[in-house]
Amino acid sequence: MTEVTSFCRFCGSFCGILVDVEDGRVGKIRGNPRSPSGRGYTCPKGRALGDFHAHPDRLDRPRCRAGGALQETTWPVLVDDLAFRLRSIAETDGPDAVGFFFGTAGMLDSLGFPTAGALVAAMGTASRYSTLTIDSPSVLLAAESIAGHPMLLPGPDPDAELVLWLGGNPVISHGHGYFLGMPVDQLRRWAGQGQLWVVDPRRTETADLATRHLPIRAGTDYALLAYLVRELLTQGADHEYLSRRASGIDILAGAVAPYDLTRTTRLTGLAESQLTELLDQIRRAGRIAVKESTGLTFQASANVCMWLIWALNIITQSHDRPGGMFFNPGYLRKLHTQEWPAMDGTPGPGPRSRPELPARWGEFPCTALASEIESGNLKALVVVGGNPLTAIPQPERLARAFSTLRVLAVSDVVGTAVTRHATHLMPSTGQLERADIWPLDFLHSSVANQYTPAVLPAGADRRPTWWQMAALGAALGHQVLPGGADPDEMTEERLARAYVEAAGGDFDQFLAQPDGVSDHRIHGWVENKLPGGRWRLGNAEFAAQLAALTEADSRETGLRLISRRQRHHLNSQLADGTGARRPDRPTVDLHPDDAARNGVEDGQYVRVRTEHGELTLTARVDDRLTHGTISVPHGFTNHNVGALTSDETNVDELTGLPLMTAIPATIAPAGHSREPEKRT
Ligand SMILES: Nc1nc2c(c(=O)[nH]1)N[C@H]1C(S)=C(S)[C@@H](COP(=O)(O)OP(=O)(O)OC[C@H]3O[C@@H](n4cnc5c(=O)[nH]c(N)nc54)[C@H](O)[C@@H]3O)O[C@H]1N2
Ligand SMILES: Nc1nc2c(c(=O)[nH]1)N[C@H]1C(S)=C(S)[C@@H](COP(=O)(O)OP(=O)(O)OC[C@H]3O[C@@H](n4cnc5c(=O)[nH]c(N)nc54)[C@H](O)[C@@H]3O)O[C@H]1N2
Ligand code: SF4
Ligand SMILES: [Mo]
């Protein structure tokens, strides 16, 4: 038996793992105690990697659709056929008729993702889509508009003494944009060395570790943030600093002016004493760390929330300072050493069928995908490590659109709702069968990086995604590998070296330190690179969005549907229970009072309706929810919460984000009942 050092790539925590391998089979997987980031930590998903690898629906051989069915074929035949079809579509309808969709797993494949990116660029198509525009466009937009670069994704400094965490549950998710390896340890540390305030309509596993939990009414965080900004601008802000280092404070102050205590308590459902105490503690602490997560970035007010979070961190002089918010320049990306192009949030032209939507960061919003296909603008789609039928609103509409595509080429490791529509199926090597560097050089609470060779040789007839993309490129006449290398002559180690060295990294150091390479946190570098030397806080578009919210001043008191992640699956991956002793269930969770008021009992089938669709789910009555809030998890194909969201209505005009939390909803018993759900 051999023990192979690697790391898990299901999520951006990248926990170091040790994998026992015997006769080419995966044995036990455990945390690597020598890993500088996780120090031996793994979550149940990482420990399920072996079961995922051996999944009964594992894709083994390339297939092409012929006579209505997917038939086994060889790689040269698939690549030639796919290239022929893509070329003829691009020649007749233009390059934009061929699109690409990148999902979470596609973006976390450090060799596949840049190779696919090079192919997209070589093909010259504007039809690039990814989950970026569905989980966090407001985060990038705020960073770009305020500080000049979309990849400035700050996270609370491990030494922070007052952390305010809104709309995230890192105990389960391990974070968003800024990942926490060992979340419980770090959250306990923040609570122990100072204060950890968690703002969430659900008393989450993270709230359990907090010093204070604010059970806010879903969708009203903007009011809480506006109140704090308003009061701190009056007392607690260093105006001398702001006049030197920020611009647009008058626009910000004007926009938040209506948010006095009375309005804010009415909107948020929080008590006056909760708001004044938080304000008081922030004033006392001086330096703070305010962090958003998807509970905010899925809201209609996502851009406003991000603007106000940046404002709070800036007016308290907490950004880019020890004990405040820390900007990780990336171990390889080294943003602190680069010149940035001046970026100010201006979008490019949107897709033809939805010209009102913006193009940002070289992508069209996911909410345009169905209409682009329906209108005939998009005739071919290549899906790389993603599951758009669980990620994007209105899955039935999108599935119908997929069935009309001339080409749907899917690079995945298991059969999914999407592979069922595929014309070309490209079985990829999975995490254990391929080399990786910490994908994308992700921004992380620890400044570390790692290289892993493949733990196992590629099984069956699977090929790495980088090879698939490079071979397709070659058949289309594009050399997409570094140095124009031939895909069949490239090795993973050489490719990893090329990508690391192109980013200015030292690949030999990775080989010498297989447990991971650490670096130091650095502070004070973003402020020195701000466009014009200032944080741009006077954003007219964000101010207009806040003014519209102020005007609407929601008094609606019905139920609101919110989002949540679960412990044993990552989006749709492992949602079938693979590797879990007690698999997660697609329940609708609601407070006992809301259950009683709607005649719903624990364990009963319930029909959940929004203006966009309906779904029947099992009720789980749970006093962790605040009144007026129901929570449905994401990631299930047959209980797909995306059916309750829309890609047409309630779409954010600045980013194209669909509304994914705090959605007005109703519930009704669906007749029959079953055994109460077991609690986890
Ligand atoms: N186990 C597991 N881990 C994951 C994933 C997974 O599917 N499973 N997915 C990964 C991905 S792709 C992402 S993007 C991250 C997401 O990481 P997180 O953002 O931490 O995701 P959640 O754990 O769902 O936490 C969102 C929280 O927001 C709360 N919330 C909902 N609406 C509102 C609101 O209006 N206001 C406030 N204040 N809170 C609200 C919900 O109750 C929930 O507790 O997780 C990643 N990690
Ligand atoms: N209503 C609603 N909608 C949501 C959300 C929500 O909470 N509510 N969450 C949103 C968020 S935050 C996100 S990020 C998206 C998630 O959207 P996606 O990232 O598209 O979803 P995943 O289910 O993670 O899809 C990953 C796919 O990659 C495959 N895969 C796994 N490993 C590999 C590999 O090594 N190589 C290749 N080629 N493929 C692999 C998996 O089998 C799976 O099919 O959904 C978004 N949509
Ligand atoms: S937290 Fe879990 S899923 Fe994420 S990298 Fe670590 S073991 Fe993998
Ligand atoms: Mo996500």
Side-chain angles (χ1 to χ4, degrees):
M1 191 189 69
T2 47
E3 183 190 81
V4 187
T5 304
S6 187
F7 59 90
C8 171
R9 289 146 267 170
F10 269 127
C11 87
S13 288
F14 305 132
C15 300
I17 53 173
L18 299 172
V19 186
D20 289 343
V21 179
E22 191 156 19
D23 299 332
R25 284 170 186 278
V26 187
K28 200 167 170 241
I29 296 184
R30 61 201 172 282
N32 177 1
R34 297 180 301 274
S35 163
S37 54
R39 302 193 306 279
Y41 176 84
T42 52
C43 84
K45 302 186 296 302
R47 296 192 294 274
L49 257 174
D51 290 312
F52 191 53
H53 174 72
H55 197 284
D57 271 344
R58 192 72 171 77
L59 304 179
D60 280 340
R61 290 176 207 293
R63 287 171 189 266
C64 289
R65 196 165 289 278
L70 277 170
Q71 314 275 3
E72 262 182 37
T73 186
T74 62
W75 282 105
V77 170
L78 181 143
V79 168
D80 280 351
D81 185 73
L82 181 55
F84 171 77
R85 286 169 201 266
L86 296 185
R87 187 188 293 115
S88 50
I89 290 170
E91 276 168 9
T92 331
D93 298 274
D96 295 353
V98 177
F100 283 75
F101 175 89
F102 295 98
T104 311
M107 293 192 279
L108 294 184
D109 172 347
S110 65
L111 305 184
F113 188 50
T115 310
L119 176 60
V120 177
M123 291 176 70
T125 171
S127 301
R128 178 179 165 135
Y129 298 83
S130 85
T131 51
L132 197 72
T133 58
I134 207 156
D135 80 351
S136 53
S138 57
V139 175
L140 277 69
L141 181 60
E144 181 183 330
S145 314
I146 297 167
H149 197 295
M151 288 314 286
L152 293 171
L153 310 178
D157 193 289
D159 298 327
E161 289 180 5
L162 194 160
V163 175
L164 176 59
W165 200 292
L166 301 107
N169 187 12
V171 170
I172 299 298
S173 71
H174 300 80
H176 173 243
Y178 188 82
F179 288 87
L180 294 176
M182 311 179 84
V184 170
D185 277 35
Q186 183 57 52
L187 293 162
R188 286 215 170 104
R189 180 172 162 197
W190 279 322
Q193 73 201 8
Q195 303 179 52
L196 171 64
W197 291 67
V198 169
V199 182
D200 200 305
R202 181 170 171 267
R203 197 177 69 250
T204 57
E205 295 77 356
T206 303
D208 287 341
L209 301 176
T211 47
R212 293 297 299 273
H213 169 224
L214 299 183
I216 196 164
R217 176 157 173 71
T220 65
D221 301 76
Y222 72 91
L224 167 67
L225 294 163
Y227 162 77
L228 294 172
V229 170
R230 174 192 197 261
E231 298 301 319
L232 288 168
L233 283 176
T234 314
Q235 187 202 323
D238 179 347
H239 286 280
E240 192 277 321
Y241 168 78
L242 291 180
S243 65
R244 264 190 307 114
R245 292 307 238 158
S247 59
I249 294 294
D250 47 336
I251 295 178
L252 175 69
V256 297
Y259 290 86
D260 59 12
L261 197 53
T262 312
R263 178 192 285 260
T264 308
T265 47
R266 177 168 52 77
L267 285 170
T268 58
L270 297 172
E272 286 196 2
S273 58
Q274 290 173 309
L275 296 176
T276 52
E277 193 195 336
L278 173 58
L279 176 63
D280 209 39
Q281 294 300 334
I282 292 177
R283 282 187 175 137
R284 262 184 230 200
R287 184 149 298 168
I288 59 174
V290 189
K291 171 76 179 103
E292 87 298 333
S293 208
T294 57
L296 268 66
T297 66
F298 286 176
Q299 289 184 27
S301 55
N303 305 321
V304 168
C305 286
M306 288 313 303
W307 177 41
L308 298 176
I309 285 177
W310 275 76
L312 274 179
N313 284 319
I314 291 166
I315 61 184
T316 54
Q317 282 201 56
S318 302
H319 256 338
D320 209 16
R321 297 273 203 281
M325 291 296 277
F326 155 63
F327 289 91
N328 185 342
Y331 191 80
L332 294 175
R333 205 187 295 254
K334 296 207 179 350
L335 282 183
H336 60 306
T337 63
Q338 289 177 24
E339 286 300 316
W340 300 345
M343 294 174 83
D344 63 1
T346 310
R352 273 187 291 155
S353 65
R354 302 276 298 274
E356 77 285 6
L357 295 177
R360 292 190 185 279
W361 317 297
E363 299 193 0
F364 288 147
C366 285
T367 38
L369 186 57
S371 66
E372 280 292 279
I373 300 171
E374 288 163 0
S375 61
N377 296 335
L378 194 65
K379 295 205 160 58
L381 184 68
V382 183
V383 176
V384 183
N387 189 340
L389 290 176
T390 54
I392 299 179
Q394 297 299 316
E396 284 182 17
R397 172 184 181 184
L398 193 58
R400 271 195 306 278
F402 278 179
S403 66
T404 68
L405 279 168
R406 291 200 2 226
V407 170
L408 178 61
V410 185
S411 169
D412 205 303
V413 293
V414 293
T416 68
V418 181
T419 59
R420 267 175 238 147
H421 297 272
T423 56
H424 299 76
L425 198 52
M426 302 185 281
S428 285
T429 49
Q431 291 184 41
L432 295 174
E433 298 168 304
R434 63 161 200 260
D436 253 314
I437 351 163
W438 265 26
L440 282 180
D441 190 18
F442 242 69
L443 304 190
H444 194 280
S445 58
S446 107
V447 221
N449 217 309
Q450 191 172 353
Y451 169 74
T452 177
V455 172
L456 300 168
D461 201 2
R462 300 167 198 142
R463 296 277 173 104
T465 300
W466 66 260
W467 181 90
Q468 297 166 9
M469 298 297 128
L472 182 58
L476 288 165
H478 305 301
Q479 308 303 320
V480 297
L481 288 176
D486 180 332
D488 290 321
E489 282 166 18
M490 184 52 103
T491 66
E492 298 215 311
E493 190 176 307
R494 267 180 46 224
L495 186 58
R497 177 182 289 279
Y499 284 139
V500 167
E501 290 179 352
D506 176 359
F507 190 69
D508 291 318
Q509 193 185 12
F510 288 127
L511 293 181
Q513 290 174 251
D515 296 317
V517 182
S518 300
D519 202 355
H520 301 290
R521 285 202 296 276
I522 52 171
H523 299 280
W525 61 277
V526 177
E527 221 176 56
N528 292 331
K529 298 181 77 76
L530 294 172
R534 287 165 191 271
W535 308 102
R536 296 181 293 215
L537 283 176
N539 188 302
E541 286 176 320
F542 298 160
Q545 288 200 324
L546 179 53
L549 288 162
T550 312
E551 191 141 314
D553 197 9
S554 171
R555 277 159 224 265
E556 151 263 310
T557 51
L559 291 174
R560 288 185 176 192
L561 167 70
I562 64 170
S563 61
R564 89 169 181 281
R565 311 270 141 186
Q566 291 173 308
R567 197 180 289 275
H568 298 94
H569 65 108
L570 189 118
N571 307 328
S572 71
Q573 303 177 65
L574 309 174
D576 58 1
T578 299
R581 241 173 284 139
R582 291 162 71 189
D584 299 320
R585 304 293 311 272
T587 55
V588 51
D589 292 11
L590 73 169
H591 188 274
D593 292 351
D594 288 325
R597 199 168 303 126
N598 290 281
V600 169
E601 283 173 23
D602 193 56
Q604 187 174 29
Y605 280 130
V606 167
R607 200 164 294 124
V608 181
R609 272 206 189 95
T610 65
E611 67 171 298
H612 313 302
E614 68 171 54
L615 207 57
T616 301
L617 299 157
T618 307
R620 201 170 75 141
V621 178
D622 185 354
D623 67 7
R624 282 184 174 270
L625 273 301
T626 44
H627 290 234
T629 311
I630 61 174
S631 170
V632 175
H634 159 72
F636 293 94
T637 306
N638 295 328
H639 298 86
N640 190 339
V641 69
L644 302 174
T645 62
S646 166
D647 54 1
E648 295 272 356
T649 28
N650 295 323
V651 171
D652 178 59
E653 55 179 6
L654 296 183
T655 61
L657 177 89
L659 178 64
M660 291 194 292
T661 200
I663 308 171
T666 59
I667 50 170
H672 35 286
S673 61
R674 27 174 285 169
E675 287 298 294
E677 289 295 325
K678 285 207 176 60
R679 279 163 206 287
T680 47

